[in-house]
């Protein structure tokens, strides 16, 4: 509940200045300093607004504990505003080693604090402390890893805002797409139902958040550099899109197949009502992973307005549907609404617009998806049969035993199928061939 309120207030500063700095190829110091100054102003404003909203938010959710949590998260928001803007150069200059160190150290600091306090005190304050610690460590590390020292300056405001205003509207629309259920479910079904939905979303969205998002973060600067060379941009996109499909399909279908034993092992018996949600939302995560890279290409081409307009049209259909489904059918209804409207309808829309802008045929996109889709579908069918056999034995297998059998079996089935289909297709120049080439080079280096 608290993080939904924080995300809402942080929209005031969601201008995506780092994205703008990467997209612009002729940035100067004034652009970086102006972006940092805006971040500080917005961070201070958001922190003050969160303090003001603490009591009203607790009354809206009927949850008095928010009065203490929101001021603590306000401190984290204020701290994060002072992040060293110079680290944007890591992505712009394709310095992935430094970018990885920055993200990893922030994550590991937050993880250590959260787990330690959770074990010691066993309450939600461990999560709050982990969030604030991660932001504090992130700011400190950003100045240690990059020599840039920002200063107050707004001289490049017009240049930045011309591009970033459309990112702001896109972020606002994206928030309404992704977080509207937090407010609706928090009000209608309470903290337990909202907790179940968010836990299911966290697990089901793993392909998009932990596998595809870092890939998108890495390739966007390359797309921006290739914006004036359409043929090279198309070739790079096809490679990346094929790689995304190669990863996202088996992971998402795998989550659907092993949702029940996975929840038993990871969360415990008390979270079993999250299983059907995980299966539905995993498909939404797959669709989101597939369309995310198309949005990046359009952004790299300097057309953020297109993304904003497309998101606005989609929101007109999705928001009423999600509101109605959530109110009528609770968390299951919200999950199906996300998949059916935001997912499939959204993927269709972005594919048509993307094809028109880039001249990449939709048939080509479908061809890139076919082998991963067929292989993942065969894998899921086989896993369901194997799991049924395990459960039908003289003594039901333990959940952890089922996972230890199903996960490697799924990996073997998928890899065997995808490689067989690739060979039958005549070894085309695709993601499978690229991965095999990389693997071969690494093995040769070790020898």
């Amino acid at each position: 509940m608290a993080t939904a309120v924080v995300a809402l207030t942080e929209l005031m500063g969601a201008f995506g200045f780092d994205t703008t700095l990467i997209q612009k190829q002729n940035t100067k110091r004034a652009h970086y300093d102006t972006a940092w100054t805006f971040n500080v102003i917005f961070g201070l404003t958001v922190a003050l607004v969160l303090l003001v909203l603490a009591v009203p938010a607790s009354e809206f959710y009927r949850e008095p504990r928010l009065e203490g949590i929101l001021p603590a998260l306000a401190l984290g928001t204020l701290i994060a505003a002072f992040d060293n803007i110079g680290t944007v150069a890591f992505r712009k200059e394709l310095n992935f080693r430094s970018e990885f160190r920055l993200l990893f150290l922030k994550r590991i600091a937050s993880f250590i604090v959260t787990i330690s306090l959770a074990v010691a005190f066993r309450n939600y304050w461990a999560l709050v402390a982990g969030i604030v610690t991660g932001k504090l460590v992130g700011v400190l590390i950003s100045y240690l890893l990059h020599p840039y020292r920002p200063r107050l300056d707004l001289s490049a405001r017009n240049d930045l805002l011309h591009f970033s205003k459309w990112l702001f509207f896109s972020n606002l629309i994206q928030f309404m797409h992704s977080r509207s259920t937090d407010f609706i479910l928090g009000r209608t079904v309470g903290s337990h139902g909202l907790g179940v939905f968010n836990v299911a979303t966290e697990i089901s969205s793993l392909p998009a958040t932990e596998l595809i998002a870092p890939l998108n973060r890495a390739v966007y600067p390359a797309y921006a550099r290739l914006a004036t060379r359409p043929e090279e941009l198309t070739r790079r996109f096809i490679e990346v899109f094929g790689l995304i499909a190669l990863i996202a399909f088996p992971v998402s279908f795998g989550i659907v197949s092993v949702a029940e034993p996975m929840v038993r092992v990871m969360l415990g018996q008390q979270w079993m009502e999250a299983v059907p949600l995980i299966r539905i939302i995993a498909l939404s995560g797959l669709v989101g992973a597939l369309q995310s890279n198309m949005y990046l290409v359009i952004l790299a081409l300097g057309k953020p307005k297109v993304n904003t307009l497309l998101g606005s049209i989609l929101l007109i259909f999705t928001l009423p549907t999600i509101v109605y489904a959530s109110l009528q059918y609770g968390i299951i209804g919200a999950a199906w609404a996300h998949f059916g409207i935001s997912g499939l309808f959204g993927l269709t829309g972005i594919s048509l617009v993307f094809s028109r802008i880039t001249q990449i045929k939709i048939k080509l996109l479908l061809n890139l998806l076919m082998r991963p889709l067929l292989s993942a579908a065969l894998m899921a069918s086989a896993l369901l049969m194997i799991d049924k056999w395990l459960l039908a034995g003289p003594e039901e297998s333990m959940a952890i035993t089922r996972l230890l059998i199903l996960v490697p079996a799924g990996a073997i089935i998928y890899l065997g199928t995808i490689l067989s289909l690739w060979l039958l297709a005549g070894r085309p120049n695709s993601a499978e061939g690229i991965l095999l080439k990389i693997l071969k080079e690494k093995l040769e280096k070790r020898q």
Side-chain angles (χ1 to χ4, degrees), residues 59 107 116 151 153 162:
E59 293 175 352
R107 287 283 186 93
S116 300
R151 56 197 180 200
D153 183 6
H162 176 72

Side-chain angles (χ1 to χ4, degrees), residues 222-402:
Y223 286 165
R225 290 187 176 190
L226 297 174
T228 57
R229 291 172 280 174
E231 291 185 2
E232 291 187 39
L233 178 60
T234 297
R235 180 176 57 81
R236 180 61 60 88
F237 166 78
I238 290 173
E239 292 176 354
V240 174
F241 189 74
L243 184 60
I244 289 174
L246 205 62
I247 297 171
F249 270 105
V251 176
S252 296
F253 277 52
I255 290 174
V256 171
S257 303
V258 303
E260 186 260 326
M262 180 175 63
V263 168
R264 290 185 186 275
V265 173
M266 291 177 60
L267 304 177
Q269 182 69 29
Q270 68 273 26
W271 288 95
M272 289 306 295
E273 60 186 303
V275 171
L277 287 172
I278 289 174
R279 288 172 173 154
I280 300 168
I281 302 174
L283 300 177
S284 299
L286 169 62
V287 175
L290 294 176
Q291 60 184 295
S292 60
N293 208 252
M294 299 185 202
Y295 281 105
L296 283 184
V297 172
I298 294 174
L299 195 62
L301 291 171
K303 299 180 183 293
K305 183 178 179 180
V306 173
N307 287 344
T308 303
L309 294 176
L310 184 62
S312 300
I313 295 171
L314 183 62
L315 187 64
I316 293 173
F317 294 96
T318 57
L319 189 57
T321 305
I322 291 172
V323 170
Y324 176 80
S326 300
L327 293 174
Q328 294 295 320
Y329 306 104
I331 51 181
I332 292 291
W336 277 117
H338 269 293
F339 172 62
I341 306 298
S342 295
L344 296 180
F345 188 54
L347 180 60
T348 302
I350 182 60
S351 298
L352 292 172
V353 173
F354 178 81
S355 178
R356 184 179 181 88
I357 290 175
T358 62
Q359 302 302 312
I360 297 175
K361 302 292 185 182
I362 292 181
K363 183 179 178 181
L364 174 59
L365 298 178
L366 292 175
N367 288 338
L368 293 172
L369 301 179
M370 200 53 60
R371 285 193 300 274
L373 171 60
L374 292 175
S375 301
L378 179 63
M379 176 198 73
S381 300
L383 290 181
L384 292 175
M385 291 174 60
I386 294 172
D387 196 34
K388 186 177 181 180
W389 172 74
L390 291 172
L391 292 174
E395 185 173 327
E396 181 179 330
S397 301
M398 299 267 304
I400 191 167
T401 303
R402 290 161 62 196

Side-chain angles (χ1 to χ4, degrees), residues 105-320:
L105 292 173
K106 289 167 64 175
R107 287 283 186 93
I108 198 67
S110 178
F111 174 81
I112 292 173
V113 170
T114 302
I115 297 301
S116 300
L117 293 180
V119 171
F121 300 110
R122 296 181 179 275
N123 64 43
Y124 58 87
W125 280 106
L127 298 171
V128 178
I131 291 171
V132 176
T133 301
K135 294 182 183 296
L136 176 60
V137 172
V139 172
L140 295 175
I141 293 173
S142 70
Y143 286 94
L144 291 174
L145 292 183
H146 200 283
Y148 190 85
R149 294 297 176 261
R151 56 197 180 200
L152 295 173
D153 183 6
L154 289 173
S155 61
R157 59 188 180 277
N158 292 332
D159 204 12
L160 287 181
L161 290 175
H162 176 72
F163 186 89
S164 294
K165 63 183 179 183
W166 294 109
L167 295 180
F168 169 78
F169 290 123
S170 291
N171 289 330
L172 176 62
I173 292 166
Q174 178 59 35
F175 173 85
M176 297 179 72
H177 275 301
S178 60
R179 303 301 295 266
S180 57
T181 48
D182 286 1
F183 294 96
I184 297 167
L185 294 177
R187 176 77 177 184
T188 57
V189 301
S191 59
H192 175 75
L194 179 59
V196 172
F197 185 87
N198 283 341
V199 165
T201 300
E202 287 286 336
I203 294 175
S204 305
S205 301
L206 285 174
T209 58
E210 303 303 321
L211 298 174
I212 307 306
L215 179 60
N216 285 334
R217 187 180 176 92
V219 300
Y220 173 67
Y223 286 165
R225 290 187 176 190
L226 297 174
T228 57
R229 291 172 280 174
E231 291 185 2
E232 291 187 39
L233 178 60
T234 297
R235 180 176 57 81
R236 180 61 60 88
F237 166 78
I238 290 173
E239 292 176 354
V240 174
F241 189 74
L243 184 60
I244 289 174
L246 205 62
I247 297 171
F249 270 105
V251 176
S252 296
F253 277 52
I255 290 174
V256 171
S257 303
V258 303
E260 186 260 326
M262 180 175 63
V263 168
R264 290 185 186 275
V265 173
M266 291 177 60
L267 304 177
Q269 182 69 29
Q270 68 273 26
W271 288 95
M272 289 306 295
E273 60 186 303
V275 171
L277 287 172
I278 289 174
R279 288 172 173 154
I280 300 168
I281 302 174
L283 300 177
S284 299
L286 169 62
V287 175
L290 294 176
Q291 60 184 295
S292 60
N293 208 252
M294 299 185 202
Y295 281 105
L296 283 184
V297 172
I298 294 174
L299 195 62
L301 291 171
K303 299 180 183 293
K305 183 178 179 180
V306 173
N307 287 344
T308 303
L309 294 176
L310 184 62
S312 300
I313 295 171
L314 183 62
L315 187 64
I316 293 173
F317 294 96
T318 57
L319 189 57

